[in-house]
Amino acid sequence: MIANRLVIMAKAPVLGRVKTRLGREVGLVEATRCYRAMLWALVRRLGHDPRWQTWLAVAPDSAAAHAAWPPDAGVLGQGGGDLGCRMQRLFDRMPPGPVLIVGSDIPDIARRDIAEGFRALGTNDAVFGPACDGGYWLVGQRRRPRIVRMFENVRWSGAHALEDTLANLEGLRVARLRLLEDVDDAESYRRWRRQPLARFRCSSSRGMISTKLQGM
Protein backbone atom coordinates (compact mmCIF):
# COMPACT_ATOMS: atom_id res chain seq x y z
CA MET A 1 0.00 0.00 0.00
CA ILE A 2 1.30 3.46 -0.95
CA ALA A 3 1.85 5.56 2.18
CA ASN A 4 1.03 9.18 2.84
CA ARG A 5 4.04 11.15 4.08
CA LEU A 6 4.05 14.32 6.14
CA VAL A 7 7.29 16.33 6.22
CA ILE A 8 7.83 19.03 8.86
CA MET A 9 10.58 21.48 7.89
CA ALA A 10 12.63 22.53 10.90
CA LYS A 11 15.81 24.33 11.87
CA ALA A 12 18.09 23.28 14.67
CA PRO A 13 16.95 25.38 17.67
CA VAL A 14 20.24 27.23 17.97
CA LEU A 15 20.36 30.62 19.65
CA GLY A 16 20.60 33.35 17.02
CA ARG A 17 19.85 31.05 14.07
CA VAL A 18 16.09 30.60 14.40
CA LYS A 19 13.34 33.20 14.61
CA THR A 20 15.81 36.08 14.36
CA ARG A 21 13.09 38.54 13.34
CA LEU A 22 11.07 37.60 16.41
CA GLY A 23 14.25 37.64 18.47
CA ARG A 24 14.84 41.29 17.68
CA GLU A 25 11.50 42.07 19.32
CA VAL A 26 11.23 39.61 22.24
CA GLY A 27 14.88 38.56 22.74
CA LEU A 28 16.84 35.75 21.12
CA VAL A 29 16.60 33.39 24.10
CA GLU A 30 12.82 33.69 24.27
CA ALA A 31 12.44 33.36 20.49
CA THR A 32 14.60 30.22 20.43
CA ARG A 33 12.84 28.69 23.43
CA CYS A 34 9.40 29.23 21.93
CA TYR A 35 10.46 27.96 18.51
CA ARG A 36 11.62 24.76 20.14
CA ALA A 37 8.37 24.50 22.11
CA MET A 38 6.26 24.95 18.99
CA LEU A 39 8.28 22.37 17.06
CA TRP A 40 8.19 19.73 19.80
CA ALA A 41 4.44 20.26 20.36
CA LEU A 42 3.74 19.96 16.63
CA VAL A 43 5.67 16.70 16.29
CA ARG A 44 3.95 15.23 19.35
CA ARG A 45 0.56 16.21 17.96
CA LEU A 46 1.07 14.93 14.41
CA GLY A 47 3.72 12.25 14.74
CA HIS A 48 1.64 9.31 16.00
CA ASP A 49 -1.20 9.30 13.49
CA PRO A 50 -1.39 5.97 11.60
CA ARG A 51 -2.80 7.70 8.52
CA TRP A 52 0.62 9.03 7.54
CA GLN A 53 4.35 8.70 8.17
CA THR A 54 5.96 11.77 9.73
CA TRP A 55 9.42 13.07 8.87
CA LEU A 56 11.49 16.02 10.06
CA ALA A 57 13.50 17.70 7.30
CA VAL A 58 16.13 19.62 9.25
CA ALA A 59 18.69 22.33 8.61
CA PRO A 60 21.60 22.34 8.69
CA ASP A 61 22.11 18.84 7.32
CA SER A 62 24.72 18.18 10.00
CA ALA A 63 21.94 18.38 12.58
CA ALA A 64 20.14 15.35 11.12
CA ALA A 65 22.33 12.92 13.04
CA HIS A 66 21.79 14.71 16.35
CA ALA A 67 19.91 12.91 19.10
CA ALA A 68 18.10 16.03 20.36
CA TRP A 69 15.20 15.88 17.88
CA PRO A 70 11.74 14.71 18.97
CA PRO A 71 11.55 10.90 18.86
CA ASP A 72 8.20 10.73 17.05
CA ALA A 73 9.45 11.23 13.48
CA GLY A 74 12.18 10.17 11.09
CA VAL A 75 14.90 12.76 10.43
CA LEU A 76 16.64 13.77 7.20
CA GLY A 77 18.56 16.81 5.98
CA GLN A 78 16.97 19.47 3.80
CA GLY A 79 20.00 19.98 1.56
CA GLY A 80 21.11 23.29 0.09
CA GLY A 81 19.48 26.07 -1.89
CA ASP A 82 16.59 28.41 -1.25
CA LEU A 83 13.30 27.29 0.28
CA GLY A 84 11.91 26.26 -3.10
CA CYS A 85 14.94 24.11 -3.91
CA ARG A 86 14.75 22.38 -0.55
CA MET A 87 11.02 21.65 -0.80
CA GLN A 88 11.30 20.44 -4.39
CA ARG A 89 14.09 18.11 -3.31
CA LEU A 90 11.74 16.56 -0.73
CA PHE A 91 9.04 16.03 -3.35
CA ASP A 92 11.62 14.49 -5.70
CA ARG A 93 13.23 12.13 -3.20
CA MET A 94 10.41 10.82 -1.04
CA PRO A 95 9.19 7.29 -1.87
CA PRO A 96 6.04 7.00 -4.02
CA GLY A 97 2.83 8.43 -2.64
CA PRO A 98 1.30 11.78 -1.67
CA VAL A 99 3.53 14.20 0.28
CA LEU A 100 2.57 17.17 2.43
CA ILE A 101 5.17 19.67 3.66
CA VAL A 102 4.45 22.02 6.58
CA GLY A 103 6.41 24.60 8.53
CA SER A 104 7.33 24.17 12.18
CA ASP A 105 6.19 27.58 13.48
CA ILE A 106 2.42 27.35 12.89
CA PRO A 107 1.05 26.30 16.29
CA ASP A 108 -2.57 25.87 15.17
CA ILE A 109 -1.97 23.01 12.72
CA ALA A 110 -4.23 20.14 13.76
CA ARG A 111 -4.47 16.50 12.71
CA ARG A 112 -7.68 17.30 10.87
CA ASP A 113 -5.76 19.78 8.67
CA ILE A 114 -3.28 17.11 7.64
CA ALA A 115 -6.04 14.56 7.04
CA GLU A 116 -7.91 17.11 4.92
CA GLY A 117 -4.76 17.80 2.92
CA PHE A 118 -4.28 14.15 2.06
CA ARG A 119 -7.97 13.79 1.19
CA ALA A 120 -7.64 16.77 -1.16
CA LEU A 121 -4.79 15.03 -2.97
CA GLY A 122 -7.15 12.18 -3.83
CA THR A 123 -8.74 14.37 -6.51
CA ASN A 124 -6.25 17.25 -6.92
CA ASP A 125 -2.67 17.55 -8.14
CA ALA A 126 -1.62 19.96 -5.38
CA VAL A 127 -2.90 21.47 -2.16
CA PHE A 128 -2.00 24.62 -0.21
CA GLY A 129 -2.64 25.93 3.27
CA PRO A 130 -2.56 29.71 2.79
CA ALA A 131 -0.93 31.92 5.42
CA CYS A 132 -1.96 35.40 6.51
CA ASP A 133 1.17 37.01 5.04
CA GLY A 134 0.62 35.85 1.45
CA GLY A 135 2.68 32.68 1.76
CA TYR A 136 1.57 29.22 2.81
CA TRP A 137 1.93 26.99 5.84
CA LEU A 138 1.33 23.75 3.88
CA VAL A 139 2.08 22.59 0.37
CA GLY A 140 1.40 19.13 -0.99
CA GLN A 141 1.61 17.11 -4.18
CA ARG A 142 -0.11 13.94 -5.28
CA ARG A 143 3.07 13.21 -7.35
CA ARG A 144 1.36 11.10 -9.96
CA PRO A 145 1.42 10.68 -12.85
CA ARG A 146 4.45 12.99 -12.41
CA ILE A 147 6.20 15.22 -9.89
CA VAL A 148 5.47 18.85 -10.66
CA ARG A 149 8.15 21.56 -10.59
CA MET A 150 6.36 24.06 -8.38
CA PHE A 151 8.82 26.68 -7.20
CA GLU A 152 10.34 28.43 -10.21
CA ASN A 153 10.61 32.23 -9.86
CA VAL A 154 8.85 32.38 -6.49
CA ARG A 155 9.39 35.52 -4.44
CA TRP A 156 9.93 34.10 -0.98
CA SER A 157 9.42 35.91 2.35
CA GLY A 158 6.86 38.28 0.90
CA ALA A 159 3.25 38.75 -0.03
CA HIS A 160 3.56 36.98 -3.40
CA ALA A 161 4.84 33.50 -2.49
CA LEU A 162 1.50 31.71 -2.90
CA GLU A 163 0.56 33.71 -5.98
CA ASP A 164 3.90 32.95 -7.65
CA THR A 165 3.72 29.24 -6.81
CA LEU A 166 0.19 28.94 -8.18
CA ALA A 167 1.42 30.48 -11.45
CA ASN A 168 3.61 27.38 -11.90
CA LEU A 169 0.55 25.11 -11.63
CA GLU A 170 -1.55 26.48 -14.46
CA GLY A 171 -3.87 23.81 -15.85
CA LEU A 172 -3.56 21.57 -12.79
CA ARG A 173 -6.17 20.93 -10.09
CA VAL A 174 -5.33 22.76 -6.86
CA ALA A 175 -7.12 22.67 -3.48
CA ARG A 176 -6.85 25.09 -0.57
CA LEU A 177 -7.15 24.49 3.16
CA ARG A 178 -7.98 27.01 5.90
CA LEU A 179 -5.98 30.17 6.54
CA LEU A 180 -3.46 29.97 9.40
CA GLU A 181 -0.81 32.27 10.90
CA ASP A 182 2.82 31.59 11.70
CA VAL A 183 4.50 33.05 14.78
CA ASP A 184 7.03 35.37 13.18
CA ASP A 185 6.83 38.73 14.94
CA ALA A 186 5.93 40.22 18.29
CA GLU A 187 2.25 40.67 17.43
CA SER A 188 1.70 37.04 16.41
CA TYR A 189 3.83 35.94 19.37
CA ARG A 190 1.58 37.83 21.78
CA ARG A 191 -1.52 36.25 20.24
CA TRP A 192 0.04 32.82 20.71
CA ARG A 193 1.00 33.61 24.30
CA ARG A 194 -2.58 34.53 25.12
CA GLN A 195 -3.58 30.91 24.53
CA PRO A 196 -3.32 29.03 27.87
CA LEU A 197 -1.79 25.91 26.29
CA ALA A 198 0.75 28.01 24.40
CA ARG A 199 1.83 29.69 27.63
CA PHE A 200 2.28 26.30 29.24
CA ARG A 201 4.33 24.98 26.34
CA CYS A 202 6.57 28.02 26.33
CA SER A 203 7.15 28.23 30.08
CA SER A 204 7.62 24.46 30.42
CA SER A 205 10.44 24.47 27.87
CA ARG A 206 12.77 26.68 29.92
CA GLY A 207 16.30 25.35 29.98
CA MET A 208 15.63 22.88 27.16
CA ILE A 209 17.70 24.56 24.41
CA SER A 210 20.34 21.98 23.58
CA THR A 211 23.90 23.07 24.34
CA LYS A 212 25.15 20.48 21.84
CA LEU A 213 23.08 22.06 19.09
CA GLN A 214 24.35 25.49 20.09
CA GLY A 215 27.89 24.26 19.56
CA MET A 216 27.44 23.27 15.89
Side-chain angles (χ1 to χ4, degrees):
M1 180 178 178
I2 294 178
N4 296 322
R5 290 178 174 84
L6 169 68
V7 182
I8 301 171
M9 298 194 78
K11 292 182 179 180
V14 177
L15 193 69
R17 296 186 187 178
V18 294
K19 288 297 166 191
T20 53
R21 177 184 171 190
L22 177 62
R24 288 193 293 270
E25 299 177 88
V26 304
L28 291 175
V29 171
E30 182 65 11
T32 306
R33 180 186 298 127
C34 287
Y35 174 79
R36 188 188 192 282
M38 286 188 291
L39 171 60
W40 260 244
L42 185 66
V43 176
R44 285 197 303 269
R45 190 161 63 251
L46 304 180
H48 294 289
D49 199 298
R51 292 172 291 181
W52 55 77
Q53 297 175 2
T54 303
W55 287 85
L56 274 174
V58 304
D61 285 3
S62 59
H66 204 279
W69 295 107
D72 306 310
V75 180
L76 71 160
Q78 293 181 14
D82 67 12
L83 178 59
C85 289
R86 288 178 276 135
M87 291 195 295
Q88 189 67 54
R89 185 177 296 114
L90 292 169
F91 283 133
D92 291 342
R93 294 184 177 180
M94 278 284 157
V99 172
L100 297 180
I101 301 172
V102 298
S104 52
D105 57 355
I106 305 93
D108 290 332
I109 299 176
R111 289 186 181 186
R112 64 182 175 87
D113 296 309
I114 304 306
E116 185 178 350
F118 283 121
R119 280 197 300 271
L121 291 178
T123 54
N124 293 276
D125 300 294
V127 62
F128 290 88
C132 298
D133 60 2
Y136 40 92
W137 57 269
L138 175 147
V139 58
Q141 273 200 48
R142 184 168 56 175
R143 303 198 306 157
R144 63 178 191 274
R146 64 188 177 90
I147 299 173
V148 180
R149 313 300 297 181
M150 302 179 69
F151 306 114
E152 301 294 330
N153 301 313
V154 174
R155 289 167 286 181
W156 299 109
S157 301
H160 304 286
L162 178 55
E163 174 188 346
D164 292 346
T165 309
L166 289 172
N168 293 318
L169 301 175
E170 185 176 355
L172 299 180
R173 291 171 294 182
V174 178
R176 298 197 192 200
L177 305 181
R178 63 178 177 140
L179 186 73
L180 290 179
E181 180 182 38
D182 62 350
V183 177
D184 203 35
D185 57 20
E187 185 177 350
S188 58
Y189 167 82
R190 284 191 290 269
R191 283 193 289 272
W192 179 66
R193 290 278 292 183
R194 284 196 291 267
Q195 302 175 34
L197 186 56
R199 289 198 296 271
F200 169 77
R201 286 172 183 157
C202 189
S203 61
S204 66
S205 67
R206 293 185 183 278
M208 294 175 65
I209 302 171
S210 170
T211 55
K212 290 184 179 180
L213 287 175
Q214 288 176 358
M216 287 183 178

